[in-house]
Amino acid sequence: MANKLFIRSPVKDVVVLDIKLNLGSLQELHPGITNVLIPLWRMSGYAKELERIGISFSFEKGGLDALTLRVKARYSVINKAMKLIEDMLLNPFIDRLDDAIREARTSVIINREDTTVRSVLRR
């Protein structure tokens, strides 16, 4: 499901962890599972716990099927961070599914409008 890549940070006691996920097309006309999972993951208690202990993370959408979870954490908490990340990814907060779908739909509309504006500006 995921490939992990550890990158040493220029900061002495910080590690940057890139987790590549392949969850299907991110460039869907309607919000697909990937676009809905991202807000569900962000709403979970595991995500809040990661932030509480000082771990920053972000989801970066890449090419057609690339989704990267980038995590920055101190070496001293990396084991706890990995456990919380695993729990966050495997246990999305289903109770807020309606909110996640609405957020994903809005994101798709904004991205589509942004792409249209950029294509018009290039002409």
Side-chain angles (χ1 to χ4, degrees), residues 4-39:
K4 293 174 238 163
L5 170 65
F6 284 94
I7 303 171
R8 263 197 93 80
S9 168
V11 179
K12 186 177 177 182
D13 66 339
V14 173
V15 65
V16 176
L17 173 67
D18 279 353
I19 303 172
K20 303 286 187 186
L21 303 167
N22 186 353
L23 300 172
S25 179
L26 298 167
Q27 311 299 328
E28 297 164 324
L29 183 59
H30 303 287
I33 186 131
T34 303
N35 291 315
V36 173
L37 278 172
I38 293 171

Side-chain angles (χ1 to χ4, degrees), residues 32-81:
I33 186 131
T34 303
N35 291 315
V36 173
L37 278 172
I38 293 171
L40 283 177
W41 287 330
R42 286 185 181 140
M43 294 175 195
S44 74
Y46 303 111
K48 292 175 184 153
E49 180 65 16
L50 283 167
E51 291 171 350
R52 189 188 69 73
I53 61 175
I55 298 169
S56 66
F57 67 94
S58 63
F59 293 97
E60 299 171 7
K61 296 179 183 181
L64 292 177
D65 292 333
L67 176 65
T68 301
L69 171 59
R70 174 161 284 179
V71 180
K72 293 180 184 175
R74 294 180 317 276
Y75 281 108
S76 60
V77 295
I78 196 65
N79 289 333
K80 184 172 184 173

Side-chain angles (χ1 to χ4, degrees), residues 73-120:
R74 294 180 317 276
Y75 281 108
S76 60
V77 295
I78 196 65
N79 289 333
K80 184 172 184 173
M82 288 306 298
K83 177 64 176 139
L84 287 169
I85 290 166
E86 181 181 323
D87 290 340
M88 177 181 71
L89 294 175
L90 295 177
N91 303 304
F93 190 43
I94 299 299
D95 294 347
R96 305 264 320 259
L97 186 59
D98 289 341
D99 295 335
I101 292 171
R102 190 171 24 262
E103 186 174 327
R105 192 174 296 137
T106 302
S107 175
V108 167
I109 291 168
I110 290 171
N111 288 337
R112 198 173 312 131
E113 289 172 356
D114 186 44
T115 303
T116 303
V117 167
R118 275 190 267 135
S119 68
V120 168

